[in-house]
Amino acid sequence: MHTLTGKRVAKFARDFGFAVSEDKQFELYVAANYLYPYLRDDVDKIERSVHGGGSDEGIDIAAIVVNGQLVFEPSEIEELISEQASNTARVIFIQAKTSESYDAKLISKFLHGIESVTKYAINPQSIALPAALVDLAALIDKIAENGDKFQETRIPCEVFYVTTSGHDGADARKELQVTEAVHRINELGVYSEPFELKTHGHDALAAKLKERHGPQNIRFEFTKRQTIPATERVSEAYIGLLSGTEALKLLTDETGAIRPGIFDDNVRLDLGAHNTVNMRITRTLESEEREQFPFLNNGLTIIASSLRGAGDKFFISGYQIVNGGQTSHQLVRWAASRRVRENPELLSDLWIPVKVVSSEDTSVRTSVAIATNLQTAIGSTDIQASSQTAKDVEEYFTQTGADGLRYLRQVQHAALDFPRTRVVTTPELNGQSPRRSSANPSERSVHPRNSKPRIPSCGVAIQSRRITTPPGSSTGWIDTSLAIPTPQP
């Protein structure tokens, strides 16, 4: 075992109380680091994720992740996906060897084990498997049979062969027995393409250890920026526009997967591609309105423990995206689409609003995370009230004179300069029950449903549930009513 790695493994075993052989300690150490986003140093989960033993078919570590959570039972999958229309899944296979070299035969055995588990998941009668791997296959089968509830038609899969070598194992990956094994797994059609084997040495393992504290030394270019004055607790801060290409460097690793841990301080996880807001983001990205993205999207707020700049080039470490999680996930999905892969300039021509703050003060990081996610809730009626049609209605009501009605288009805290009984709001125009009551029913300015009461005092009636606006005004305000003048007696 590599000297530095050996010392780190020994310390890890002491800290967690793993009194086992060196090989087993290494397997647990690799599991704790490669699966850290899902395990979070939970000793029980670390131990359950390690399958190493005489009947493991070369699969030392395996993880099934659904909606960002590690699962061990099919019932857990059912529970996680029961209330969501769109879900995510990921399968991770790892073989961990203390050797400082790569063995093509052991790699082939490892890949054969993955192939066997996958075949069993497809057809349990086709192959014999050890009990621990049968349980693993059952989880894969549960994801496959609920394929309509997952975002990907095939299951994303990561495969790592981890050693303490000083090399990256590229030669071993080119061995015929290894390439053929990878090809056979691809042919099964279960996992997302391309199905790739990653061979990692001690440098890659050390990088995984650092990822516990967020990605390290990620380089990106930030040309369109303005400096925000630093404070005693904020060392550097910038606001500006980041190209889609540069933003993707911060969001994804070399495999195209979301960097682990960068959304830990965000208030919500990915809400899925079919979430209403996310669908609007995607429509913008896929349309000619893409050039308007900086004006239509609030962008990303990034908090980093370290930020170093040289001209327009920056290196960022230990960062969290505390606001803009939905934008980030939709951007990654769009970037992975065939259209963008074939036309990468679409990504480089996209500009995203970004605020980057560097501080080692954890209280600052927490404060920014909370503040950027606090806002007064905006309901559908608030959005409805900002339309041109709503403005036309407001003007129409104003023209009814001093004894007429007024339309309170915008929510306000200040006192009204008109009797409340003569003021209607957007929900009331929509036919919803007013939040107040009046002693005299004839003074109520709104009547539910399709009734047409006469209100002599202001000569107005509520008619229909569809807006009739002055010629030339915009249309499309759905499910609303409009007060219209009635003949005076």
Side-chain angles (χ1 to χ4, degrees):
M1 187 186 297
H2 185 272
T3 303
L4 284 178
T5 302
K7 290 183 177 295
R8 291 165 183 160
V9 171
K11 182 180 185 302
F12 164 81
R14 289 195 305 272
D15 291 346
F16 283 81
F18 292 132
V20 291
S21 67
E22 184 181 77
D23 287 349
K24 192 70 173 180
Q25 286 179 1
F26 186 67
E27 291 174 359
L28 292 163
Y29 177 76
V30 170
N33 285 289
Y34 277 69
L35 303 179
Y36 178 73
Y38 318 112
L39 298 174
R40 295 295 181 191
D41 290 339
D42 185 308
V43 173
D44 179 61
K45 289 182 178 179
I46 292 173
E47 291 181 321
R48 292 182 72 181
S49 67
V50 175
H51 297 267
S55 58
D56 60 12
E57 295 292 323
I59 301 174
D60 294 329
I61 302 159
I64 307 297
V65 181
V66 175
N67 292 341
Q69 297 188 42
L70 203 63
V71 295
F72 296 98
E73 302 291 340
S75 59
E76 294 178 72
I77 297 176
E78 291 178 349
E79 182 177 350
L80 285 170
I81 68 175
S82 61
E83 296 182 359
Q84 290 189 201
S86 181
N87 302 273
T88 61
R90 182 172 298 274
V91 180
I92 303 170
F93 296 105
I94 306 173
Q95 186 171 47
K97 295 298 179 185
T98 58
S99 171
E100 294 189 47
S101 62
Y102 297 93
D103 189 323
K105 289 184 179 179
L106 291 178
I107 295 175
S108 297
K109 178 184 177 183
F110 170 49
L111 293 171
H112 175 72
I114 296 173
E115 181 183 4
S116 298
V117 168
T118 309
K119 283 183 175 179
Y120 190 94
I122 298 171
N123 181 6
Q125 309 303 320
S126 63
I127 195 170
L129 275 185
L133 297 185
V134 167
D135 293 340
L136 183 61
L139 296 175
I140 297 172
D141 176 54
K142 178 60 67 174
I143 294 172
E145 74 177 21
N146 288 281
D148 60 320
K149 292 188 176 182
F150 288 91
Q151 295 173 9
E152 307 288 343
T153 54
R154 293 190 180 190
I155 305 172
C157 181
E158 295 181 272
V159 181
F160 301 96
Y161 184 88
V162 183
T163 70
T164 63
S165 171
H167 305 288
D168 63 5
D171 291 339
R173 293 196 303 271
K174 296 175 184 176
E175 291 279 347
L176 182 61
Q177 56 187 321
V178 174
T179 58
E180 287 185 343
V182 169
H183 177 72
R184 288 196 302 272
I185 297 172
N186 259 320
E187 288 293 298
L188 295 175
V190 173
Y191 305 115
S192 297
E193 295 182 317
F195 177 89
E196 294 180 321
L197 166 70
K198 303 178 188 70
T199 48
H200 284 186
H202 68 79
D203 287 340
L205 180 53
K208 284 291 183 183
L209 177 62
K210 289 182 179 180
E211 283 183 5
R212 286 170 165 262
H213 308 289
Q216 302 295 309
N217 293 319
I218 306 303
R219 175 179 168 176
F220 68 103
E221 292 193 12
F222 198 2
T223 57
K224 298 180 183 296
R225 70 184 187 281
Q226 290 292 324
T227 302
I228 301 175
T231 67
E232 183 180 345
R233 295 188 296 163
V234 174
S235 56
E236 283 185 85
Y238 301 92
I239 189 169
L241 297 174
L242 204 59
S243 75
T245 302
E246 298 304 309
L248 214 62
K249 294 178 182 178
L250 301 178
L251 298 175
T252 61
D253 59 22
E254 66 279 0
T255 70
I258 294 285
R259 291 188 183 278
I262 63 173
F263 296 105
D264 287 353
D265 289 345
N266 205 292
V267 297
R268 60 176 68 88
L269 295 173
D270 178 26
L271 299 179
H274 301 293
N275 170 268
T276 302
V277 174
N278 287 350
M279 289 173 69
R280 290 175 66 91
I281 295 173
T282 299
R283 282 199 296 270
T284 300
L285 291 171
E286 292 177 346
S287 71
E288 295 305 314
E289 277 201 335
R290 185 169 48 255
E291 63 182 19
Q292 306 296 326
F293 199 80
F295 314 115
L296 301 174
N297 191 279
N298 288 331
L300 316 180
T301 300
I302 304 171
I303 308 296
S305 59
S306 173
L307 184 67
R308 296 181 290 110
D312 292 334
K313 295 179 174 61
F314 285 81
F315 292 86
I316 188 170
S317 298
Y319 60 89
Q320 289 279 317
I321 296 174
V322 298
N323 191 274
Q326 304 312 305
T327 296
S328 298
H329 283 89
Q330 292 309 103
L331 177 63
V332 171
R333 289 190 180 101
W334 178 67
S337 67
R338 177 177 295 181
R339 183 186 179 194
V340 178
R341 290 200 309 269
E342 294 176 351
N343 300 279
E345 66 276 4
L346 292 176
L347 193 60
S348 61
D349 290 344
L350 177 72
W351 294 99
I352 302 161
V354 173
K355 184 190 294 179
V356 182
V357 179
S358 176
S359 175
E360 294 184 353
D361 190 319
T362 55
S363 65
V364 170
R365 295 163 66 92
T366 302
S367 297
V368 174
I370 294 172
T372 54
N373 284 285
L374 280 179
Q375 61 181 359
T376 302
I378 299 175
S380 58
T381 55
D382 296 314
I383 297 173
Q384 184 183 28
S386 68
S387 69
Q388 183 57 47
T389 300
K391 296 173 184 177
D392 292 341
V393 173
E394 181 180 39
E395 180 181 355
Y396 185 87
F397 272 72
T398 302
Q399 294 172 358
T400 60
D403 294 328
L405 297 181
R406 291 295 182 270
Y407 169 35
L408 187 64
R409 183 173 62 83
Q410 297 168 297
V411 177
Q412 66 180 53
H413 177 68
L416 299 173
D417 57 2
F418 209 74
R420 182 61 182 91
T421 53
R422 296 181 183 279
V423 176
V424 293
T425 63
T426 304
E428 292 168 347
L429 286 180
N430 282 339
Q432 300 170 12
S433 299
R435 293 184 179 179
R436 67 184 187 284
S437 61
S438 172
N440 184 355
S442 66
E443 291 183 355
R444 295 183 186 176
S445 58
V446 174
H447 295 255
R449 307 304 176 191
N450 295 322
S451 59
K452 304 178 183 179
R454 290 289 301 273
I455 308 178
S457 61
C458 58
V460 173
I462 300 298
Q463 179 174 307
S464 174
R465 290 183 62 86
R466 187 175 185 83
I467 273 187
T468 304
T469 55
S473 63
S474 60
T475 58
W477 197 7
I478 301 172
D479 191 32
T480 61
S481 301
L482 174 65
I484 62 172
T486 58
Q488 294 297 315

